[in-house]
Amino acid sequence: MLFKDQLDFVTQHIKKNKLRVFMTVLAATMGCAFLIVLASVGFGLQDSIRNEILSDENITKIQVFGNDQFTEEQIHEIKSIEHVKTVLETITVNASGHSFFEDRDTLSDVYVTNMQDFEQVSGKLAKGKYPTKPNEIVVGYHFAQTLINDAERKIIEEKSKKAEAEGTFYNGSEEGYKDSLIGKEIELALMPRTEGAEEGEKIKYTIVGVMKKPSYDWMVNNSIYMDKEQKPMLATNLAATGNVKEDDMFLSEFNIFADSMENVKSILDKLKDDGYNVYSVTEQLDKMNVFFLVLKIGLIFVGTIAVLIASIGIFNTMTMAVTERTREIGVLKAIGASPKLIQRLFLMESTFIGVIGTLIAVVISYIISFVANAALPVILEAATGEEAFSKSDITFSLIPWQLVIIAAAISIGVAMISGYRPARKATKIDVIQALRQEL
């Protein structure tokens, strides 16, 4: 029997029982679509959290814990590790930086570091350049926004009260200095973070660069960054206030930077083997991947139950097909058809139902996924009143090709298994009894 004839045999029965086959395909479609859409939630949430972690500008940073300072020998040893980009020492000044410009002022954190290493790690600035002279500084992206005068402070206070009454928050983005700060000179006074401390003497600095915008919208960076050559001058300034001990003037933090995210893990393992207490945000990815792997397996398992329920319909349809075509089976056997051929014919029919159901389910699943990602943020915003939902990049549903392959394999596999027993039953029909059956 040619393959074309086998297809004709299968399609002939399908055409004769369109409604029954349609309902069976519909059940298979619903089961497979439920499996894909349910599992897509796990894939979507994993993708959202992964993107959130990867959007961190310090994704290649390895933090070093402990109060011990690195020696030059240790820094050289760490830099010699393969794929280590640099070792950056960031020194936090234990005082608030009070900056003055025209009739405006602002309070900032002040950091001292090696500008060459800092440039290597931070990359391109939003504006300007990195300092090349002792009196030059780089400021955070929001430094100009926070540089306000007394009149603007009152306006911000009024807007904040109004926003609070409405249940929202005002960040002061409409106020602040609106022109470019590049090349402008400010006066900086340090105020030690001790009780009863007074501001130190004002030091003049020229702004030559502005840092990039932070990765997250809620972050505000109005810090001041200067070269470590300024450390002695800052120490003298703080000592003049008489409120700060020498050991409490500065806080050092060492961070190691890899040349790419893919090499962070190997550097982490090497440093831990050498006895360093280190941590990287990429370690969250490993824990997250394990969690979502278990979650996705659970969701696929639950979805498979729906496919198994749909398989009952396929089993019933195929059992009825064997019963209705007993005489045809008898004729086939009489003209020499082998049991394997008869079994194949009925397996082809059950597989056809599974394949058509799966194809339709995949199309429907992608449509549902698209609609869910577009509609859910709007629904959540309407329900909660939070605009953050509509502005966020949360993916509620994601259907990768791997999920389609897994769902198709389960759906088609279950369909074939459902048709196996009726197909075996067809091979055991007695030829004489089958031919005696009335049409």
Side-chain angles (χ1 to χ4, degrees):
M1 193 175 189
L2 297 176
F3 183 72
K4 181 179 178 299
D5 296 326
Q6 295 176 31
L7 286 177
D8 289 339
F9 183 86
V10 172
T11 54
Q12 181 183 3
H13 175 258
I14 291 174
K15 289 177 181 178
K16 286 172 63 178
N17 301 276
K18 291 180 182 177
L19 182 59
R20 185 198 302 163
V21 174
F22 170 76
M23 296 304 294
T24 307
V25 170
L26 181 62
T29 299
M30 292 174 63
C32 186
F34 178 76
L35 165 59
I36 295 173
V37 172
L38 185 64
S40 73
V41 175
F43 282 92
L45 292 176
Q46 182 181 16
D47 184 70
S48 297
I49 297 174
R50 178 181 173 81
N51 289 339
E52 186 77 9
I53 295 174
L54 294 181
S55 66
D56 192 329
E57 56 193 18
N58 294 322
I59 191 67
T60 61
K61 182 171 79 172
I62 299 172
Q63 294 175 277
V64 182
F65 296 101
N67 298 322
D68 297 334
Q69 300 291 309
F70 279 0
T71 62
E72 289 297 325
E73 184 180 348
Q74 286 177 308
I75 292 174
H76 180 74
E77 180 185 340
I78 293 172
K79 283 185 175 181
S80 66
I81 298 175
E82 190 176 5
H83 301 301
V84 169
K85 189 175 184 179
T86 189
V87 178
L88 179 68
E89 180 186 12
T90 304
I91 302 170
T92 304
V93 180
N94 192 19
S96 295
H98 196 176
S99 302
F100 299 89
F101 176 70
E102 296 177 352
D103 63 337
R104 303 169 179 274
D105 68 297
T106 186
L107 293 174
S108 311
D109 292 325
V110 181
Y111 298 98
V112 179
T113 187
N114 183 307
M115 275 298 158
Q116 290 182 340
D117 291 337
F118 188 64
E119 179 180 0
Q120 194 175 3
V121 168
S122 302
K124 189 177 179 181
L125 296 171
K127 294 178 183 177
K129 62 174 186 176
Y130 285 92
T132 55
K133 298 177 182 178
N135 68 325
E136 293 179 342
I137 59 172
V138 171
V139 296
Y141 183 85
H142 299 97
F143 185 84
Q145 178 183 315
T146 60
L147 202 59
I148 55 178
N149 53 34
D150 292 337
E152 289 176 330
R153 281 191 178 86
K154 292 180 180 178
I155 294 173
I156 292 174
E157 186 177 350
E158 290 174 2
K159 288 183 178 180
S160 296
K161 287 180 179 178
K162 184 179 178 181
E164 187 177 350
E166 295 173 352
T168 57
F169 172 77
Y170 179 66
N171 60 7
S173 58
E174 296 176 3
E175 285 70 40
Y177 188 72
K178 299 303 179 183
D179 295 331
S180 175
L181 283 171
I182 303 299
K184 300 291 179 16
E185 189 176 73
I186 66 168
E187 291 183 315
L188 176 66
L190 298 178
M191 180 182 289
R193 294 189 174 100
T194 53
E195 189 176 348
E198 296 181 358
E199 286 187 352
E201 183 183 346
K202 295 179 181 178
I203 309 171
K204 291 184 178 181
Y205 288 100
T206 302
I207 298 173
V208 295
V210 178
M211 295 293 292
K212 291 183 294 186
K213 186 177 181 179
S215 302
Y216 305 105
D217 292 337
W218 51 266
M219 291 180 68
V220 175
N221 180 14
N222 73 329
S223 303
I224 295 174
Y225 306 86
M226 58 182 68
D227 193 79
K228 64 191 306 181
E229 290 182 5
Q230 291 296 297
K231 185 178 177 181
M233 182 183 292
L234 297 177
T236 302
N237 189 293
L238 287 171
T241 64
N243 290 309
V244 186
K245 296 179 181 178
E246 186 176 349
D247 293 340
D248 297 332
M249 291 181 180
F250 304 100
L251 303 171
S252 290
E253 177 187 2
F254 286 88
N255 293 303
I256 301 161
F257 289 84
D259 54 9
S260 67
M261 188 197 77
E262 289 74 18
N263 296 318
V264 170
K265 190 176 187 307
S266 61
I267 297 172
L268 270 174
D269 294 339
K270 170 64 177 171
L271 291 170
K272 287 179 180 179
D273 291 341
D274 291 343
Y276 293 102
N277 189 13
V278 290
Y279 170 78
S280 168
V281 293
T282 56
E283 290 183 295
Q284 296 178 28
L285 287 174
D286 295 333
K287 297 176 182 177
M288 182 196 74
N289 289 337
V290 172
F291 169 78
F292 276 103
L293 176 62
V294 175
L295 176 64
K296 287 184 289 187
I297 290 173
L299 292 175
I300 290 173
F301 176 77
V302 174
T304 302
I305 295 174
V307 177
L308 291 173
I309 293 171
S311 71
I312 298 173
I314 299 174
F315 178 82
N316 288 336
T317 297
M318 296 310 302
T319 301
M320 292 179 70
V322 172
T323 304
E324 291 173 352
R325 297 156 78 182
T326 300
R327 186 176 179 81
E328 293 178 45
I329 295 169
V331 172
L332 287 172
K333 281 193 169 187
I335 62 175
S338 66
K340 284 187 177 180
L341 174 59
I342 295 170
Q343 179 176 307
R344 189 186 311 129
L345 291 172
F346 287 93
L347 283 177
M348 285 174 64
E349 189 170 334
S350 64
T351 303
F352 174 83
I353 293 171
V355 170
I356 296 300
T358 300
L359 291 176
I360 298 173
V362 170
V363 174
I364 292 174
S365 298
Y366 274 108
I367 294 172
I368 293 173
S369 178
F370 176 79
V371 172
N373 288 327
L376 278 176
V378 178
I379 295 171
L380 290 173
E381 181 184 353
T384 62
E386 294 289 338
E387 294 183 3
F389 287 109
S390 60
K391 295 179 180 179
S392 66
D393 295 327
I394 297 175
T395 303
F396 293 95
S397 175
L398 177 67
I399 305 176
W401 64 268
Q402 296 95 329
L403 175 57
V404 173
I405 297 297
I406 292 170
I410 293 173
S411 182
I412 297 172
V414 168
M416 292 178 68
I417 294 170
S418 300
Y420 179 76
R421 185 172 179 81
R424 288 291 298 169
K425 179 183 177 182
T427 63
K428 296 177 181 178
I429 290 176
D430 182 76
V431 179
I432 303 300
Q433 292 295 328
L435 293 175
R436 284 177 178 174
Q437 182 170 326
E438 295 183 3
L439 292 173

